[in-house]
């Protein structure tokens, strides 16, 4: 599915977030608390938005972008600076990296697309160095407040409509809309991170509560 929408993926993300995608990516990287010359793993890297933001803020970083979709990464490789990233096809639930390899692990829109979130988080904990940070951008179920009818209608109806106009495979975005509505709450993600061994766990909601930046640290 992701191979099929790779060439329109960045445009769709920009439209679906009302142009806020770059700001959300920046906020995610800020929460990774990177050292000056970090070794970073960006999971579900896709076309590399988060990975490129890491390099923008830390030009001396060593960045590995990993994704299960080679089609998405081919788009990223062709972007300016794509040769500065090490691209690896990998399953987020079974990472091909040694223990304690990375100063930080980042990812965007990963957790709703795996079949086992606890295993995915355990793998991130494993490959992080002690004291390293995980930072992630994820969709979040619309909170039931005054904006709930608008937010729910947008995700349920408007996103698939936009996809029909832009994407070659609009059914893929109906899947993304459906998984976004049924995804875990920030409180549930918090508990899963704690169960994986992380500490200093937090999150911040964006876009009327429909997007969340999560962060957590592996104990020193």
């Amino acid at each position: 599915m992701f191979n099929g929408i790779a060439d329109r993926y960045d445009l769709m993300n920009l439209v679906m977030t009302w142009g806020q995608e770059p700001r959300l990516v920046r906020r995610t990287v800020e929460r990774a608390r990177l050292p000056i010359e970090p070794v970073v793993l960006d999971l579900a890297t896709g076309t590399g938005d988060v990975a490129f933001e890491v390099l923008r803020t830390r030009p001396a970083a060593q960045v590995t972008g990993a994704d299960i979709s080679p089609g998405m990464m081919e788009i990223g490789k062709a972007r300016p600076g794509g040769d500065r990233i090490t691209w690896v096809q990998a399953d987020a639930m079974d990472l091909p990296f040694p223990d304690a390899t990375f100063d930080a692990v980042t990812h965007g829109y990963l957790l709703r697309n795996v079949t086992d979130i606890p295993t995915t988080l355990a793998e991130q904990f494993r490959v992080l160095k002690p004291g390293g940070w995980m930072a992630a951008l994820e969709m979040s179920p619309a909170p039931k407040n005054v904006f709930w009818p608008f937010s729910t209608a947008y995700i349920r109806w408007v996103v698939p409509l936009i996809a029909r106009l832009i994407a070659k495979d609009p059914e893929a975005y109906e899947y993304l809309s459906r998984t976004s509505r049924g995804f875990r709450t920030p409180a549930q993600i918090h508990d899963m991170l704690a169960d994986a061994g992380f500490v200093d766990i937090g999150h911040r909601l964006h876009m009327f509560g429909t997007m969340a930046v999560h962060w957590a640290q592996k104990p020193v």
Side-chain angles (χ1 to χ4, degrees), residues 27-75:
R27 296 293 178 267
T28 304
V29 173
E30 287 170 2
R31 292 295 183 178
R33 305 191 189 188
L34 302 174
I36 298 299
E37 298 183 2
V39 180
V40 180
L41 172 63
D42 182 43
L43 291 171
T45 194
T47 61
D49 279 357
V50 176
F52 283 112
E53 177 63 17
V54 169
L55 287 172
R56 188 190 69 80
T57 60
R58 296 291 189 273
Q62 299 178 43
V63 183
T64 297
D67 201 292
I68 203 165
S69 166
M72 294 286 284
M73 291 190 290
E74 285 301 317
I75 302 294

Side-chain angles (χ1 to χ4, degrees), residues 3-218:
N3 286 338
I5 62 175
D7 61 341
R8 296 298 182 97
Y9 185 75
D10 290 336
L11 176 61
M12 277 300 305
N13 279 348
L14 193 65
V15 172
M16 288 192 303
T17 60
W18 313 333
Q20 295 301 301
E21 178 80 0
R23 182 178 68 90
L24 296 171
V25 168
R26 288 196 299 272
R27 296 293 178 267
T28 304
V29 173
E30 287 170 2
R31 292 295 183 178
R33 305 191 189 188
L34 302 174
I36 298 299
E37 298 183 2
V39 180
V40 180
L41 172 63
D42 182 43
L43 291 171
T45 194
T47 61
D49 279 357
V50 176
F52 283 112
E53 177 63 17
V54 169
L55 287 172
R56 188 190 69 80
T57 60
R58 296 291 189 273
Q62 299 178 43
V63 183
T64 297
D67 201 292
I68 203 165
S69 166
M72 294 286 284
M73 291 190 290
E74 285 301 317
I75 302 294
K77 290 177 185 178
R79 294 172 63 175
D83 57 347
R84 299 174 60 197
I85 297 169
T86 300
W87 305 87
V88 177
Q89 186 176 5
D91 182 347
M93 296 182 293
D94 186 18
L95 295 174
F97 308 110
D99 296 357
T101 298
F102 300 99
D103 296 302
V105 174
T106 58
H107 50 93
Y109 313 121
L110 167 67
L111 298 182
R112 70 178 180 191
N113 293 312
V114 297
T115 57
D116 190 333
I117 294 177
T119 295
T120 302
L121 296 177
E123 278 291 273
Q124 294 176 36
F125 188 90
R126 179 183 67 79
V127 301
L128 269 174
K129 296 176 183 178
W133 287 84
M134 182 284 298
L137 175 63
E138 294 287 348
M139 299 291 290
S140 185
K144 292 189 176 181
N145 55 26
V146 67
F147 298 108
W148 183 80
F150 168 76
S151 300
T152 301
Y154 181 76
I155 295 173
R156 182 186 294 269
W157 305 113
V158 178
V159 167
L161 177 60
I162 294 172
R164 290 190 183 95
L165 298 174
I166 296 177
K168 295 177 181 177
D169 185 7
E171 289 79 10
Y173 285 93
E174 292 181 5
Y175 157 80
L176 297 178
S177 172
R178 184 176 67 253
T179 55
S180 298
R181 298 194 307 271
F183 190 56
R184 307 296 197 280
T185 65
Q188 290 172 321
I189 296 298
H190 180 287
D191 291 345
M192 290 180 176
L193 287 164
D195 289 343
F198 288 98
V199 297
D200 293 333
I201 303 164
H203 74 273
R204 183 172 180 180
L205 294 175
H206 299 270
M207 295 187 63
F208 306 109
T210 61
M211 304 284 285
V213 175
H214 300 268
W215 60 87
Q217 185 182 34
K218 181 174 182 175

